[in-house]
Amino acid sequence: MRIALVTSSFFPCRGGLEQHVGNLARELRAAGDDVRIFTRTPGPARWHDIPVERLRSLFTLPYALGRFAPDLVHAHGARRPFAAWGLLAARRLRLPSVFTAHCFYPAHSWASALKKGLFDSTLGWVSLQSAGALLALTPNDQRDAILLGAPAQRFHLVPNSLRLAGAPAPPPPGSPRSLLFVGRLDPVKRVDHLLNALAELPGFDLTVIGPDGGHRAALEAQTARLGLAARVHFLGEVDDDTLANAYARCGLFVLPSAYEGLPTVALEAMAAARPVLAAASGGTSFLIRPGENGFLFDPHNLYELVSLIRRCSSADLAPLGAAARQTILDNFTWEVNGERIRTIYQHFRSGAAGEPAQSPAPGAIG
């Protein structure tokens, strides 16, 4: 099949959305499909030998798609005009289309609520109606999309995934007093909450990895104010080897976000056999089975987080880490889920009438 993947953001930008699209593209390419990525992000014209069309304007997207003449358009990203425009272009070109929203982050200010509401009631609603099939990474994402007007019968639950074929064996457990956070430094990620917890945990250290989302200066100031400068290390964006080493060194991966979809970083930590301590918000409850492969905590309860970290620091984390890795191997690899997405694509290729058959939810996830 000729497949157009439409995403406003792509490598060299690095985040969960970009990694998801990139890994899907590589999986499709390995299966023999002709894949092309359409994006607004400047960069090279090829990525892992996959053609990337980097457009200066979203208004040129319909013409670019027309030139490629795909069998199917798969757009990515909630509340992204570029993705919505791609779905509308597919409809105008009479092409089958698939949409993965990834995550509908809630508003945290009146201005944000107004902006999201305007989009959701106009271009967002039209794009949800236009897609022939809708993919949700978690039941939360599916529920949020249905509340915004998405047709429930078009949904397939296909979670975020990792490429693990040929990956090395996970490292032995790291120091339980070494904590790791990976993610965009944005207020919704609640790294400030984690810093407050660290102030109650003498002898623990924290490594913070990820791009600045406008909050790094405030977090560094908070670190200095709490007297944590010697125990907190801000590394910014890092390469794959540095990130892998960070997972190997840490004992616990902590994700205190006020809201999440199904974060790639949590999957990566679990694949490295690292227990994840995550705020019970968004899609994390779809991934974590408390006490079995990680722990969940109230995102607003500082002392619950402190108590949980202390509890883990004196426990044998190896069984928890092994269960975390097995969760990924069983349900969250591209080897499993890439084929499920291709099955949805093939429905359109076959010219079958009606909606694609519903994909079963991944088993043993709770």
Side-chain angles (χ1 to χ4, degrees):
M1 293 185 72
R2 291 170 66 83
I3 300 167
L5 299 180
V6 176
T7 173
S8 60
S9 181
F10 191 63
F11 293 102
C13 293
R14 184 186 176 95
L17 172 65
E18 294 82 5
Q19 292 186 69
H20 181 100
V21 175
N23 283 324
L24 174 58
R26 294 176 67 184
E27 194 67 24
L28 295 172
R29 179 67 176 272
D33 294 311
D34 184 1
V35 183
R36 185 167 298 186
I37 297 167
F38 296 81
T39 184
R40 292 290 311 280
T41 304
R46 300 189 79 83
W47 180 83
H48 285 278
D49 204 33
I50 296 169
V52 182
E53 292 206 27
R54 301 180 183 270
L55 308 176
R56 293 185 178 182
S57 168
L58 64 84
F59 296 108
T60 62
L61 179 58
Y63 305 102
L65 289 173
R67 288 194 306 270
F68 179 51
D71 296 308
L72 179 139
V73 174
H74 188 169
H76 294 261
R79 298 183 173 121
R80 306 277 182 118
F82 193 73
W85 198 246
L87 292 169
L88 293 175
R91 183 175 183 177
R92 185 169 70 84
L93 295 167
R94 298 184 178 181
L95 298 171
S97 62
V98 176
F99 179 45
T100 304
H102 291 265
C103 181
F104 292 92
Y105 283 101
H108 293 286
S109 69
W110 69 266
S112 174
L114 178 61
K115 183 178 179 181
K116 291 177 188 291
L118 286 172
F119 185 89
D120 290 342
S121 61
T122 54
L123 191 56
W125 185 88
V126 172
S127 61
L128 287 172
Q129 297 294 320
S130 297
L134 298 162
L135 305 190
L137 304 185
T138 72
N140 298 63
D141 296 337
Q142 179 174 338
R143 177 205 62 205
D144 290 345
I146 291 172
L147 288 173
L148 293 172
Q153 71 275 13
R154 296 184 191 173
F155 264 103
H156 306 261
L157 187 60
V158 184
N160 203 356
S161 305
L162 298 179
R163 291 175 60 87
L164 293 182
S175 167
R177 290 179 171 264
S178 180
L179 312 178
L180 175 65
F181 167 86
V182 181
R184 186 179 70 258
L185 301 188
D186 180 279
V188 74
K189 299 295 186 179
R190 295 300 306 277
V191 179
D192 58 330
H193 193 65
L194 182 53
L195 292 173
N196 288 332
L198 192 69
E200 304 292 327
L201 294 163
F204 288 76
D205 64 82
L206 170 66
T207 298
V208 178
I209 291 176
D212 185 7
H215 200 45
R216 176 166 176 166
L219 293 173
E220 290 178 330
Q222 180 186 1
T223 299
R225 186 169 63 252
L226 293 173
L228 299 174
R231 296 197 283 136
V232 179
H233 312 285
F234 290 92
L235 302 188
E237 292 190 80
V238 300
D239 58 30
D240 290 342
D241 289 341
T242 302
L243 181 58
N245 289 334
Y247 286 127
R249 288 195 307 271
C250 80
L252 296 170
F253 181 85
V254 187
L255 193 67
S257 307
Y259 194 85
E260 282 287 355
L262 187 60
T264 300
V265 293
L267 302 182
E268 290 174 342
M270 293 174 70
R274 294 305 179 257
V276 172
L277 279 58
S281 59
T284 54
S285 57
F286 176 66
L287 177 67
I288 303 297
R289 298 190 294 272
E292 183 178 338
N293 63 2
F295 292 96
L296 297 172
F297 58 89
D298 182 343
H300 306 293
N301 190 330
L302 175 66
Y303 292 101
E304 183 181 1
L305 174 56
V306 171
S307 175
L308 193 55
I309 293 173
R310 282 182 177 144
R311 173 183 166 189
C312 288
S313 70
S314 59
D316 179 7
L317 298 179
L320 205 67
R325 179 172 171 82
Q326 194 61 47
T327 298
I328 303 303
L329 293 174
D330 289 344
N331 298 294
F332 298 94
T333 68
W334 279 112
E335 290 78 6
V336 172
N337 292 315
E339 187 56 35
R340 295 177 65 215
I341 293 175
R342 291 190 79 248
T343 299
I344 295 168
Y345 291 171
Q346 290 294 342
H347 169 88
F348 295 111
R349 178 67 179 271
S350 69
E355 304 295 339
Q358 291 297 299
S359 300
I365 304 173

